[in-house]
Amino acid sequence: MATILCDLDGTLLVKARRDPPGFVAPKRAAINRALAEVCDAPAVDFSLGLEHGLTDWAIAERAVRLQRPEFALDGPIWQAVVARAEAVFAPGVPGGEAVYRRLPGVPEVLVALRSAGHVLGVVTGNVSFFALYKLREAGIDLGLFEGPSAFGDHGREREQIVRTAVARSSGGPFVVLGDTVHDHAGAAAVGLPFLGTGAMGLRREDVVVRDGPPAAWVPDLGNVEAVVEQVAELGVGEG
């Protein structure tokens, strides 16, 4: 049986709606304030550095560089940003509406994978307290994830986060589950099989390539049996 390292955004959950005019979502508000204070970047906007699949660390650095082009967000500065963002983070939105929702097939596919004997972990570019907030908002039981987890606290690049999760495990085999070419690249760099989901636009040809570790693709996680079958095939013989 395999340890499945799950991405979050675009894989298990998505933002439920666009922010209304003049509203700043809780995550963006906290990280904007932290970057402004720690990195001397007044009026910085985290959202201007966004690219789907990048880590919070990389997005934050891109956002600050719009004001300070030579800026480098090194490890100690990033840890200070994370600590400050967590301190000022104020979850919740006006009216109490959830910001994030589950994608089709979730959590049913997670329950099925566990029932098949697999262990679930998390590998996400979100820093840890943002990731847990998103899971709770989307109504995904944190107790499903008993395996190793690693977050955007731990690396600017996906590869670094995947390596952290693997180091926290007692051993493989592993399968990385994600929805972007960045997720695939992180898995491949560590030599791990990858299962891509196309719910947010990832194509089969983006991940099923001749070279590199085994990779497979499903249109989305709604076909639970297909996902369980693909994970079983990818996890065979990989250590």
Side-chain angles (χ1 to χ4, degrees), residues 66-79:
L66 293 175
Q67 295 186 13
R68 301 174 56 193
E70 303 302 319
F71 178 77
L73 187 48
D74 64 22
I77 297 175
W78 177 236
Q79 293 307 315

Side-chain angles (χ1 to χ4, degrees), residues 18-235:
R18 291 182 178 273
D19 293 341
F23 173 75
V24 180
K27 172 180 176 176
R28 181 178 159 207
I31 204 162
N32 279 353
R33 180 171 171 183
L35 289 171
E37 294 178 4
V38 175
C39 302
D40 189 24
V44 65
D45 188 348
F46 178 74
S47 68
L48 296 180
L50 281 172
E51 179 183 314
H52 186 51
L54 292 184
T55 67
D56 281 351
W57 187 338
I59 293 167
E61 184 174 67
R62 283 158 57 103
V64 175
R65 282 181 173 173
L66 293 175
Q67 295 186 13
R68 301 174 56 193
E70 303 302 319
F71 178 77
L73 187 48
D74 64 22
I77 297 175
W78 177 236
Q79 293 307 315
V81 169
V82 171
R84 183 57 179 153
E86 185 171 14
V88 301
F89 181 53
V93 298
E97 294 183 53
V99 178
Y100 300 92
R101 63 172 175 84
R102 295 170 289 187
L103 280 166
V106 181
E108 293 83 2
V109 70
L110 302 177
V111 173
L113 288 167
R114 280 168 51 96
S115 296
H118 302 294
V119 175
L120 304 179
V122 174
V123 166
T124 175
N126 288 277
V127 295
S128 54
F129 66 94
F130 290 149
L132 298 179
Y133 162 69
K134 288 183 175 183
L135 286 166
R136 286 191 294 267
E137 278 270 299
I140 301 173
D141 182 6
L142 301 182
L144 291 170
F145 303 96
E146 296 183 335
S149 294
F151 304 92
D153 315 47
H154 305 122
R156 181 189 282 107
E157 306 302 330
R158 287 272 172 181
E159 174 186 350
Q160 297 167 317
I161 299 172
V162 174
R163 289 190 186 281
T164 298
V166 169
R168 291 176 166 182
S169 171
S170 58
F174 300 94
V175 174
V176 175
L177 174 65
D179 75 302
T180 72
V181 293
H182 299 290
D183 300 318
H184 182 213
V190 186
L192 301 185
F194 178 76
L195 177 59
T197 170
M200 301 302 290
L202 186 71
R203 302 169 300 171
R204 182 189 300 273
E205 56 265 35
D206 292 329
V207 298
V208 182
V209 295
R210 182 175 300 176
D211 299 324
W217 178 89
V218 290
D220 54 49
L221 300 182
N223 187 334
V224 172
E225 291 183 0
V227 175
V228 173
E229 180 180 341
Q230 291 287 4
V231 169
E233 292 181 4
L234 288 169

